[in-house]
Amino acid sequence: MKKCSFCGFENPDDSNFCNNCGRLLSQQKGKRKKFILRPFDTQYASEYDLKKDRVIVGRALDCDLNIKHISVSRHHAILEYSPEKGGYLLSDLGSKNGTFVDGRIISPNLLLRGGSVVKFGDVSFEYVEEESGDGVGKSKIDRYKLILNLNKVINSNLNLEDVLKGIVDAALKITGAERAFLLVSDESGKLEIKLAKNILGEWLEPEKCEISFNTAKRVYKTGQPFVSVDVSDDKSMVFHQSVIKLGLNSVMAVPLKFKNKILGVIYVDSKLAVSSFDTDDLEIFLALADQAAVAIENARLIEENKELLFSTIEALAESIEKRDPYTGGHTRRVLEISVKIAKKLNLDNKTIENLKLGALLHDIGKIGIDDKILRKRGKLDDNEYSIIKKHPQLGYEIIKHVKQLRDAVPGVLYHHEKEDGSGYPMGLKGDEIPFIAKIIAIADAYDAMTTDRPYRKGLSVKEAVEELVRNKDKQFSSEIVEAFIEVLKDEGYEFSI
């Protein structure tokens, strides 16, 4: 049985909410404070509630707090709860880029204090201490402070999808609602649920969600916010069959406005009396909506600019490939393989964007190579090969002065470096080689091995993978080769490697 620490009611073990007072049971911690690591940028990690006494932080998937950023080591740091000190001790696990608290590197460990900024590699979190409770009933000042903090998180992110998720998270935290929804209109003007999440932290499938669409549509059409403190007493809600069917106690919705244009609606609802909304909630919800609309529009503009940049680069890459009839589609395949590997490694969105640019441009230096060499049907001699080896440097010279392409430089300049230092043009080895260049190197080599050439037939997938495995830690990163094998297994290939 689960005993509610607020009203004392005994609930069945499978209960999420108290059957008497309706409060969320999973948040009840007795006298122990609630400890949270709140990311300043949600594209790298979600907010993490420190419920466990021992929490491993790192990039590896088996970590309790998984951070998708290459500056974070696979097993970066550990937090251990100390009952005697009433908080968490933070220790570094020999990470490559260090663990910092309030700008200072920790050694050997440190007791965290509420409000501290904890930095793992290049990714920062706020360490928050809260008194135990259900989070409902915060003062208006506290909730405005929460909006200011969330505003920083939302607007520090340039990825549209992550911005939208941040807005839904913010709506739940600020209102104490049971469910939160973000609705946007399609090209025909039809309002649709884009994202949905519940108080348990579960992302819901939009097509399976039932809400009061009449309320959402009214807010979208009129541009006026709506709050119903108690559905049973609100005459405007009497005919909303969806509300009655769902057994909702309170509903609130606000428009997302940007320069007199309505982008969508943020909608929250709750069945619990303890989570009823009021006019103060609506005022704060509107403040969030104002910030959210600006963040969405900014992210959209950035997405459009990115799409234009990528389209231009793709056209350039294709024009270069046409000079060599035997490598048609190579750049596109390298791009697709690189992105699949990056996603398997759970890399963050910013790193994947830089990887895409590097993959598209990795052979741009070949524009400076004579056609006689590029189009040669036989194997290259030593002199010709030495000329081909100049293409990474030539590519770097082409893009280094273009501001928007600077993040692609590592992929262009270093994709022929090798783990043992025998590559070119710089002879870098191991961790000296940028991570995105290591990914492109494997994608490039795999596609080259499996593509037919005039002087040889391409290898099979199995043969190419065996070659990659043979050259692990000599030419290729072992971690990335293993991730690529997992990608191929996901696509139906079977290996006994």
Side-chain angles (χ1 to χ4, degrees):
M1 300 292 284
K2 291 182 180 178
K3 184 175 181 179
C4 177
S5 62
F6 292 94
C7 68
F9 188 80
E10 296 282 351
N11 298 276
D13 287 335
D14 60 353
S15 299
N16 290 319
F17 298 93
C18 176
N19 292 333
N20 182 48
C21 70
R23 295 177 188 263
L24 186 62
L25 294 171
S26 63
Q27 289 184 348
Q28 299 180 19
K29 295 291 182 180
K31 293 184 178 179
R32 174 171 163 173
K33 289 182 178 179
K34 184 177 181 180
F35 301 93
I36 298 169
L37 280 175
R38 183 170 294 151
F40 286 96
D41 193 333
T42 55
Q43 71 172 308
Y44 303 131
S46 300
E47 179 174 292
Y48 188 82
D49 189 349
L50 294 163
K51 297 177 181 178
K52 297 172 64 176
D53 288 343
R54 189 172 184 270
V55 175
I56 302 293
V57 180
R59 198 177 77 243
L61 291 177
D62 61 354
C63 291
D64 301 293
L65 172 52
N66 178 243
I67 306 177
K68 307 172 193 175
H69 196 277
I70 56 176
S71 69
V72 178
S73 298
R74 290 178 60 77
H75 297 93
H76 195 104
I78 182 171
L79 294 109
E80 296 179 282
Y81 181 70
S82 170
E84 297 80 14
K85 298 185 177 181
Y88 278 85
L89 290 167
L90 175 64
S91 305
D92 189 82
L93 293 177
S95 66
K96 178 182 175 183
N97 295 311
T99 303
F100 303 80
V101 175
D102 295 329
R104 296 184 179 182
I105 194 165
I106 63 168
S107 180
N109 58 44
L110 185 70
L111 177 67
L112 294 176
R113 300 293 183 188
S116 292
V117 176
V118 183
K119 187 177 178 185
F120 305 102
D122 293 333
V123 182
S124 298
F125 293 76
E126 180 187 7
Y127 176 73
V128 180
E129 292 183 1
E130 295 179 355
E131 296 300 326
S132 60
D134 63 356
V136 178
K138 289 182 180 178
S139 72
K140 187 182 291 189
I141 292 176
D142 287 339
R143 290 199 288 176
Y144 271 119
K145 286 181 179 177
L146 184 56
I147 279 192
L148 289 173
N149 183 63
L150 291 168
N151 181 39
K152 292 178 183 177
V153 172
I154 292 171
N155 284 289
S156 66
N157 200 323
L158 303 181
N159 180 273
L160 181 57
E161 182 182 353
D162 290 330
V163 167
L164 298 180
K165 286 182 177 179
I167 291 168
V168 175
D169 282 332
L172 281 172
K173 292 171 188 172
I174 288 169
T175 63
E178 195 175 346
R179 304 187 304 168
F181 300 83
L182 180 66
L183 297 94
V184 296
S185 60
D186 60 18
E187 293 181 358
S188 67
K190 182 182 178 182
L191 203 60
E192 295 180 336
I193 298 173
K194 178 74 174 177
L195 291 170
K197 195 174 188 180
N198 64 23
I199 197 172
L200 299 176
E202 301 166 337
W203 288 101
L204 310 175
E205 296 181 44
E207 60 274 10
K208 295 183 179 180
C209 294
E210 293 184 272
I211 67 169
S212 175
F213 264 106
N214 286 339
T215 299
K217 289 175 182 176
R218 182 168 67 178
V219 170
Y220 180 70
K221 184 176 180 180
T222 65
Q224 297 300 312
F226 175 86
V227 61
S228 178
V229 177
D230 187 342
V231 167
S232 61
D233 291 334
D234 192 334
K235 293 180 181 179
S236 68
M237 299 294 287
V238 171
F239 300 107
H240 291 193
Q241 294 300 317
S242 58
V243 174
I244 298 170
K245 180 182 176 182
L246 292 168
L248 299 174
N249 179 73
S250 196
V251 174
M252 184 163 57
V254 293
L256 286 164
K257 290 183 180 179
F258 182 80
K259 293 183 177 179
N260 297 319
K261 178 184 177 183
I262 300 179
L263 307 177
V265 174
I266 314 178
Y267 168 105
V268 294
D269 63 23
S270 183
K271 296 179 181 179
L272 308 177
V274 73
S275 299
S276 293
F277 311 124
D278 55 30
T279 52
D280 282 346
D281 291 317
L282 182 60
E283 179 184 328
I284 292 169
F285 205 26
L286 282 167
L288 170 66
D290 288 342
Q291 299 298 329
V294 174
I296 289 173
E297 195 62 22
N298 287 342
R300 277 183 175 174
L301 290 172
I302 290 168
E303 291 281 315
E304 288 174 5
N305 287 336
K306 285 178 184 175
E307 288 177 10
L308 177 60
L309 177 63
F310 277 107
S311 296
T312 303
I313 292 172
E314 282 188 80
L316 177 62
E318 287 176 8
S319 68
I320 294 171
E321 282 194 348
K322 287 178 180 178
R323 298 177 62 208
D324 183 355
Y326 308 112
T327 59
H330 170 71
T331 299
R332 169 54 58 181
R333 294 191 295 272
V334 170
L335 170 64
E336 291 174 353
I337 294 168
S338 297
V339 171
K340 288 176 182 178
I341 293 172
K343 289 181 177 179
K344 176 62 68 173
L345 290 167
N346 287 313
L347 300 187
D348 59 272
N349 290 325
K350 179 61 177 175
T351 301
I352 291 177
E353 286 177 8
N354 296 339
L355 175 65
K356 286 180 177 178
L357 286 173
L360 283 171
L361 291 165
H362 77 282
D363 276 344
I364 193 174
K366 288 184 177 179
I367 200 170
I369 305 298
D370 194 294
D371 277 355
K372 291 180 181 179
I373 297 175
L374 284 181
R375 293 172 177 268
K376 185 174 180 180
R377 297 181 63 86
K379 286 187 177 181
L380 302 177
D381 60 32
D382 290 344
N383 181 58
E384 291 167 335
Y385 183 56
S386 69
I387 293 173
I388 280 287
K389 287 169 65 175
K390 294 179 181 179
H391 80 269
Q393 185 69 40
L394 291 172
Y396 165 69
E397 295 296 333
I398 292 170
I399 71 170
K400 69 178 182 180
H401 298 299
V402 182
K403 182 180 178 181
Q404 292 87 341
L405 301 180
R406 287 176 186 170
D407 290 332
V409 164
V412 173
L413 185 57
Y414 303 119
H415 69 279
H416 280 293
E417 301 288 354
K418 298 181 181 179
E419 289 290 309
D420 62 5
S422 64
Y424 62 87
M426 303 296 183
L428 304 181
K429 61 181 180 180
D431 289 341
E432 295 174 346
I433 307 170
F435 203 71
I436 67 170
K438 293 184 179 189
I439 294 175
I440 294 171
I442 289 174
D444 187 34
Y446 173 82
D447 186 69
M449 287 189 286
T450 55
T451 301
D452 291 340
R453 296 295 172 89
Y455 51 89
R456 60 132 174 100
K457 184 174 176 58
L459 302 180
S460 68
V461 172
K462 184 176 183 296
E463 291 170 329
V465 169
E466 288 173 347
E467 189 66 21
L468 292 175
V469 171
R470 271 195 295 272
N471 286 280
K472 283 198 306 185
D473 296 323
K474 291 182 287 185
Q475 183 173 352
F476 307 113
S477 161
S478 176
E479 177 186 4
I480 299 173
V481 169
E482 290 168 7
F484 181 44
I485 291 173
E486 291 303 312
V487 167
L488 292 172
K489 286 180 178 178
D490 290 344
E491 295 179 351
Y493 294 100
E494 296 182 3
F495 304 102
S496 57
I497 297 173

